[in-house]
Amino acid sequence: MWEFGGVVGMMGARVAIDLDRMPGARFFPDATLNFAENCLRRDGDDPAIIAVTEAGGPRTLSWRELRSEAAACAAALRAAGIRPGDRVAAYLPNGPEAIVAVLGAASVGAVWSSCSPDFGVQGVVDRFGQIEPRILIAADGYVYGGKPFDLRPKVSEILTRLASVERAIVGRDGWEAFVGPHRGAAPQYEPLPFNHPLYILYSSGTTGVPKCIVHGAGGTLVQHLKEHQLHCDIHPGDRVFYFTTLGWMMWNWLVTVLASGATILLYDGAPFHPGGNALFTFADETGMTLFGTSAKFIDAVSKAELRPRETHSLATVKTMTSTGSPLAPESFDFVYEHVKRDIHLASISGGTDIVSCFVGGNPIGPVWRGEIQCRGLGMKVDVWDENGRPVREQKGELVCTMPFPSMPVGFWNDPDGRKYHAAYFERFPGVWTHGDYVELTAHDGVIIYGRSDAVLNPGGVRIGTAEIYRQVEQLPEVVESLVIGQQWQGDERIVLFVKLRDGVALDQALVDRIRQQIRQNTTPRHVPTRIVRVTDIPRTKSGKIVELAVRDVVHGRDVRNREALANPEALEQFRDRPELEL
């Protein structure tokens, strides 16, 4: 992949050492490279970034302008005393300055870490406070859902609580004052070891302070080149979009498409503002070739009864990727019937832990309804039962049995590697256990049934949460749902929470229809004992619903890391529900 992807750098003699150690293996131990240099190989007047916000656009940066701006940012960071290994933190919306800043930091060898502006003060401090950045780059405001948000009070409070920050660059004026004096500086890329830290990402769970996951430049680059060029068929000149924020790893994934000579398309704002067609219009206006989104967005478009195939051209879109949660079979139907017939629909899954995917798309293979097409190339992914035996066409744990380049360098503030080992290698020693409950199909594809730690277990039968969501959310009255197992009379009973359309009541007739839908299409074991209406479903800032946090609230346990949630107030609806009294 280094050779095929044309990586700029010195490869060295050895490709990998200690492959029998996991963790402990090292890839390209003699290599040097610079991530930013690999992203900025192109020059000229073609667009490198096209950015749109709710407030307007597009803003375009050519390859020449991006190279120049990144060089100026790198020179400014060097002038501020930033050296390889120092941390640069960002609290920014999804605009061109964020791309410029991450490439400037990588040019110097600084370690980049970012949060999106919807994070509260405590959420930012919980993250950046652990890594002690010397520089903080922050916006002074942003627009979402048609509303302006002033970030200045939050930024001021964050700065009073981050003692490590030596310089804060706030708003457009602050950015100009920082970068402006260095415009015209020549690009200068620090040659660094393959595993030199590039990013610090954060776990999004609600069980404690976020884990700080450190990813290396070389592993991130090689893995992303593979996924972009082989799994997603991205070519120079393609225009690649992912709906994301700086708080989700898909933003980091998107940055690397520059290394394949493709243009980044950025959209900052609410995907359904002013209407559900905003992103499809964006696709037509920009000549988008890859439309990256989430299963939740596809479901929302379907529920809104939109028909992009009739209202939009989408002539340039050749690939649609979906991640964040399992893509239901009915969503495959919707995309091919109502979005575009001639499209490569690739459900993909991996995570912040590996800043990439374990399973994903195959542009030269068939798309089977409801399945992820294949396991990642060069990833020894398997499915094991609880005894560590490989299984086919039955549910088990997603594991990876050999090392791969985009494994974390480690966790921040984990000098003996104990937290890192506990996160992935305790269940099966020497094997990465990812925490997904999955099945390897007859087509060698993958179906994900949910997170292993959220698996339901009534009467000792393991049921993936996605099996229930798939059925319930087909009903037009149900906007969204969340299911947990509640401890009950020495066993576990299934409790289903539903968010309904406006004006719909959860009467006995609807309860019966929900139960009938589940019973007819799964088994009687899947049928919930209790069905309870709520007005909102709590989710992380990257859009994942949080079964474990709800389970804790229902059982009277504290949820410690509420700052990981986009809507923590939603949790209160699940506390002390009379319907759930034992």
Side-chain angles (χ1 to χ4, degrees):
M1 199 59 232
W2 180 302
E3 293 170 347
F4 181 83
V7 171
V8 178
M10 299 289 293
M11 186 193 289
R14 298 177 295 173
V15 171
I17 58 172
D18 297 328
L19 280 178
D20 57 339
R21 293 174 57 199
M22 189 170 180
R26 291 174 61 209
F27 291 85
F28 300 105
D30 311 311
T32 58
L33 57 78
N34 185 280
F35 178 83
E37 184 175 17
N38 278 275
C39 289
L40 294 169
R41 284 180 273 181
R42 283 191 66 177
D43 203 348
D45 295 325
D46 287 338
I49 300 172
I50 302 173
V52 167
T53 71
E54 283 184 17
R59 288 176 58 204
T60 301
L61 256 66
S62 70
W63 288 96
R64 180 175 294 116
E65 289 167 332
L66 179 59
R67 283 167 60 97
S68 174
E69 285 292 287
C73 180
L77 290 169
R78 287 189 178 98
I82 299 301
R83 299 292 177 261
D86 289 342
R87 273 77 63 209
V88 172
Y91 186 45
L92 293 170
N94 186 24
E97 288 77 14
I99 307 287
V100 169
V102 71
L103 295 174
S107 300
V108 176
V111 188
W112 173 271
S113 194
S114 58
C115 287
S116 52
D118 55 331
F119 274 75
V121 171
Q122 190 59 49
V124 175
V125 173
D126 282 349
R127 288 157 176 78
F128 294 165
Q130 295 185 70
I131 66 167
E132 299 180 307
R134 293 182 61 195
I135 298 277
L136 177 67
I137 306 171
D140 52 13
Y142 67 104
V143 175
Y144 189 88
K147 297 178 188 173
F149 291 87
D150 185 354
L151 282 179
R152 289 171 297 181
K154 289 205 287 188
V155 172
S156 295
E157 187 177 347
I158 288 164
L159 287 170
T160 65
R161 297 176 62 183
L162 290 179
S164 65
V165 173
E166 298 167 15
R167 177 149 187 190
I169 299 128
V170 181
R172 189 166 297 281
D173 290 345
W175 176 258
E176 285 301 315
F178 184 65
V179 172
H182 301 277
R183 289 205 172 96
Q188 185 181 339
Y189 305 110
E190 197 76 31
L192 298 159
F194 186 81
N195 257 351
H196 180 79
L198 171 69
Y199 294 136
I200 298 174
L201 305 182
Y202 304 94
S203 62
S204 60
T206 56
T207 55
V209 175
K211 296 188 289 284
C212 306
I213 304 168
V214 184
H215 285 293
T220 301
L221 176 65
V222 170
Q223 179 82 335
H224 288 179
L225 286 171
K226 177 203 75 176
E227 292 184 354
H228 295 159
Q229 296 182 14
L230 302 182
H231 287 279
C232 294
D233 197 28
I234 292 171
H235 293 265
D238 278 359
R239 296 188 170 193
V240 180
F241 167 71
Y242 225 101
F243 184 78
T244 184
T245 71
L246 270 71
W248 191 23
M249 62 140 284
M250 294 313 299
W251 181 82
N252 307 79
W253 190 90
L254 181 62
V255 169
T256 318
V257 304
L258 295 168
S260 293
T263 300
I264 291 178
L265 303 181
L266 300 177
Y267 185 90
D268 192 63
F272 268 73
H273 183 83
N277 282 314
L279 297 186
F280 298 108
T281 301
F282 181 53
D284 277 349
E285 290 176 346
T286 56
M288 185 186 296
T289 56
L290 186 147
F291 189 125
T293 185
S294 65
K296 182 62 193 163
F297 175 78
I298 294 172
D299 182 59
V301 171
S302 172
K303 284 226 161 70
E305 298 182 351
L306 300 178
R307 298 292 182 260
R309 193 164 70 85
E310 299 169 13
T311 56
H312 292 72
S313 163
L314 305 179
T316 57
V317 179
K318 59 183 182 179
T319 304
M320 175 175 273
T321 58
S322 168
T323 191
S325 57
L327 187 64
E330 294 72 22
S331 291
F332 282 72
D333 300 338
F334 176 79
V335 168
Y336 281 105
E337 289 171 17
H338 298 300
V339 178
K340 189 174 183 180
R341 285 185 174 151
D342 181 17
I343 196 170
H344 175 210
L345 176 60
S347 181
I348 65 177
S349 182
T352 300
D353 319 79
I354 63 169
V355 73
S356 59
C357 301
F358 279 119
V359 293
N362 173 8
I364 58 170
V367 176
W368 292 91
R369 179 179 186 268
E371 296 185 17
I372 297 174
Q373 287 175 286
C374 67
R375 293 173 277 180
L377 293 167
M379 309 282 279
K380 201 166 178 60
V381 173
D382 210 340
V383 180
W384 283 9
D385 66 15
E386 57 268 27
N387 299 312
R389 292 186 299 242
V391 292
R392 298 291 180 272
E393 296 182 61
Q394 69 182 71
K395 297 163 192 166
E397 291 282 348
L398 188 148
V399 298
C400 194
T401 61
M402 281 189 70
F404 49 94
S406 65
M407 291 171 64
V409 175
F411 288 176
W412 197 259
N413 291 331
D414 184 29
D416 59 3
R418 194 172 302 171
K419 292 179 190 171
Y420 178 38
H421 187 275
Y424 311 112
F425 305 105
E426 272 189 351
R427 176 80 187 273
F428 301 117
V431 170
W432 181 292
T433 304
H434 194 54
D436 280 342
Y437 188 53
V438 307
E439 176 186 342
L440 203 55
T441 71
H443 312 118
D444 210 31
V446 175
I447 299 172
I448 297 181
Y449 292 100
R451 293 293 293 169
S452 305
D453 52 12
V455 162
L456 308 168
N457 199 20
V461 177
R462 286 166 64 82
I463 295 172
T465 54
E467 299 175 69
I468 293 175
Y469 299 143
R470 174 191 166 189
Q471 301 306 326
V472 176
E473 293 179 16
Q474 287 181 58
L475 297 172
E477 297 91 340
V478 179
V479 175
E480 198 171 14
S481 60
L482 183 147
V483 67
I484 64 163
Q486 183 190 17
Q487 298 307 306
W488 183 63
Q489 295 184 355
D491 194 1
E492 182 174 290
R493 65 178 180 181
I494 296 177
V495 178
L496 175 68
F497 298 96
V498 290
K499 177 182 176 182
L500 303 178
R501 283 181 184 270
D502 290 342
V504 175
L506 184 64
D507 55 19
Q508 191 58 47
L510 181 54
V511 167
D512 292 344
R513 285 185 58 221
I514 291 171
R515 288 192 168 128
Q516 182 69 5
Q517 172 80 11
I518 295 169
R519 182 180 286 107
Q520 275 186 339
N521 295 289
T522 56
T523 76
R525 289 272 189 192
H526 289 68
V527 177
T529 309
R530 291 280 185 272
I531 300 176
V532 181
R533 181 175 188 170
V534 291
T535 59
D536 202 5
I537 300 290
R539 53 200 326 118
T540 66
K541 288 188 166 61
S542 57
K544 295 180 173 65
I545 61 173
V546 286
E547 293 111 335
L548 297 190
V550 169
R551 194 169 72 190
D552 282 342
V553 169
V554 166
H555 288 100
R557 298 188 289 263
D558 287 338
V559 176
R560 284 181 285 169
N561 186 19
R562 288 170 173 261
E563 286 291 332
L565 301 180
N567 53 342
E569 67 285 351
L571 282 176
E572 292 310 308
Q573 301 182 69
F574 299 85
R575 191 182 306 282
D576 301 327
R577 296 292 299 231
E579 306 97 320
L580 303 184
E581 287 180 7
L582 300 181

